[in-house]
Amino acid sequence: MQLHDVWFVLIAVLWTGYFFLEGFDFGVGVLTKLLARDRKERRVLINTIGPVWDGNEVWLLTAGGATFAAFPEWYATLFSGFYLPLLLILICLIIRGVAFEYRHKRDEDRWQTNWEHAIFWTSLIPAFLWGVAFANIVRGVKIDEHMNYVGSLFDLLNVYSLLGGLVTLTLFTFHGAVFTSLKTVGDIRERSRTLATRLGVLTAVVALVFLIWTQVSHGDGKSLIAMAVAVVALVGALAFNLAGREGWSFALSGITIAAAVAMLFLTLFPNVMPSSLNDAWNLTVTNASSSPYTLKIMTWCAAVATPLVLLYQGWTYWVFRKRIGTQHIADAH
């Protein structure tokens, strides 16, 4: 395996980590409207991700930076062709971060309500758009012989990609509901388990259609195995959720996300961004990669820095591992 293949795998791992961690972040944000009955319960939901949401976004920065350094042609085509949806995601992430920090700065009802609306919408929109973006990458977009995207925004809004967006939205919300039941106590925990069951059934139906479509159109034997793992893990997550085993349910919902992302990257390889105009114009791990010397330096840096980041983030989750409930939330002034 050459270094550009290694970095394709590493970038897939980074996106898997991002969707696993930020996925339940987005899900909890959506649940602030679907699950919480009052402001105190919304504060419980927000507090479950309060210590970790910003650390989870580091995976996105790392994935983007690794793509830029390892596959500059892929980065250039992707970010120019998907400029508007990626800009919208960026704006949502900025507003979302501000909303988490500013919501509690004032006690006025209108002030807090507006920021809570912002948390909901800036969680829902990226959760949907990431699925649209990755579905389009797998499907193929209009790339010419100069590696330039020559399509329009409306070319990205096709049935397959919109279905992909619906899959990520429902899967992340289900993942967030399981995380909420894992991190809370009392009535909100029971209601999150009930909602997770409903969301899981909806997710299973939508995801199965999308994964079968992907497998039939672009898959091979390896992607079929990843698809099978995703389906079995999702069914297992539902079963453990019904049994009240939130830890196992959360682990399996995470495996569902990981297997689904693995399937998408397996259908891509050795391409990184297929052209729907001509197969000869596909961006591949070979023609889109940096020089071997650049990849070698990146590999050494990643070997040193990655274990430290994983240890620090793991320690953060361990410190904030306890459950919370409305009884832990002080009354507003």
Side-chain angles (χ1 to χ4, degrees):
M1 181 180 287
Q2 300 186 43
L3 281 179
H4 52 64
D5 298 327
V6 172
W7 274 98
F8 179 84
V9 174
L10 290 177
I11 288 172
V13 171
L14 290 171
W15 280 110
T16 301
Y18 174 66
F19 287 142
F20 178 92
L21 297 171
E22 191 81 315
F24 69 74
D25 267 8
F26 289 145
V28 171
V30 174
L31 291 175
T32 57
K33 294 296 184 184
L34 299 184
L35 179 64
R37 291 175 173 172
D38 53 34
R39 174 146 298 135
K40 182 170 283 191
E41 289 193 350
R42 283 192 289 274
R43 290 170 64 188
V44 170
L45 292 177
I46 294 170
N47 284 0
T48 62
I49 60 174
V52 298
W53 68 266
D54 48 355
N56 294 343
E57 290 187 355
V58 171
W59 288 79
L60 173 61
L61 300 176
T62 308
T67 304
F68 171 77
F71 299 100
E73 297 293 347
W74 182 14
Y75 180 92
T77 304
L78 175 64
F79 279 78
S80 59
F82 292 28
Y83 180 80
L84 287 178
L86 292 179
L87 177 62
L88 182 56
I89 289 174
L90 177 61
I91 292 173
C92 284
L93 294 180
I94 293 172
I95 295 175
R96 187 168 176 266
V98 173
F100 282 134
E101 298 298 330
Y102 274 66
R103 179 189 56 85
H104 63 280
K105 297 296 184 182
R106 290 166 60 179
D107 294 329
E108 288 86 346
D109 183 72
R110 183 176 180 181
W111 171 272
Q112 296 195 2
T113 298
N114 289 337
W115 287 120
E116 288 164 1
H117 286 319
I119 290 172
F120 171 76
W121 287 108
T122 57
S123 298
L124 185 148
I125 293 172
F128 177 77
L129 288 180
W130 280 126
V132 173
F134 272 83
N136 273 299
I137 292 174
V138 171
R139 177 177 178 268
V141 292
K142 294 180 178 179
I143 300 174
D144 64 14
E145 66 273 23
H146 303 296
M147 300 184 179
N148 294 322
Y149 176 74
V150 293
S152 67
L153 174 63
F154 296 102
D155 292 321
L156 303 178
L157 303 178
N158 51 80
V159 177
Y160 177 75
S161 65
L162 294 175
L163 180 61
L166 188 58
V167 170
T168 52
L169 176 58
T170 54
L171 181 55
F172 290 169
T173 308
F174 168 69
H175 194 42
V178 175
F179 177 78
T180 300
S181 65
L182 178 65
K183 288 288 294 179
T184 57
V185 294
D187 179 61
I188 193 169
R189 175 189 178 188
E190 299 301 322
R191 285 189 284 112
S192 65
R193 283 175 51 197
T194 301
L195 182 59
T197 300
R198 298 172 183 171
L199 289 169
V201 172
L202 175 62
T203 301
V205 173
V206 177
L208 189 60
V209 174
F210 177 77
L211 294 177
I212 291 175
W213 189 346
T214 303
Q215 178 63 30
V216 171
S217 302
H218 311 284
D220 56 15
K222 294 178 181 178
S223 62
L224 180 60
I225 294 174
M227 172 184 164
V229 172
V231 172
V232 171
L234 182 55
V235 172
L238 274 168
F240 277 109
N241 178 70
L242 286 170
R245 302 292 297 275
E246 294 99 342
W248 281 103
S249 181
F250 180 70
L252 287 170
S253 66
I255 291 174
T256 302
I257 293 174
V261 174
M263 179 186 179
L264 296 182
F265 276 89
L266 285 169
T267 60
L268 273 178
F269 188 81
N271 299 316
V272 295
M273 203 167 179
S275 171
S276 60
L277 301 178
N278 191 326
D279 288 343
W281 299 340
N282 290 351
L283 273 67
T284 68
V285 293
T286 304
N287 65 19
S289 69
S290 294
S291 67
Y293 183 70
T294 300
L295 296 177
K296 185 177 181 179
I297 293 176
M298 290 176 60
T299 304
W300 281 109
C301 292
V304 174
T306 302
L308 297 177
V309 173
L310 292 175
L311 285 172
Y312 174 77
Q313 194 161 25
W315 175 78
T316 302
Y317 276 91
W318 175 256
V319 170
F320 295 101
R321 67 189 182 277
K322 293 184 178 180
R323 296 176 182 265
I324 62 173
T326 54
Q327 65 269 29
H328 301 115
I329 303 297
D331 293 329
H333 295 296

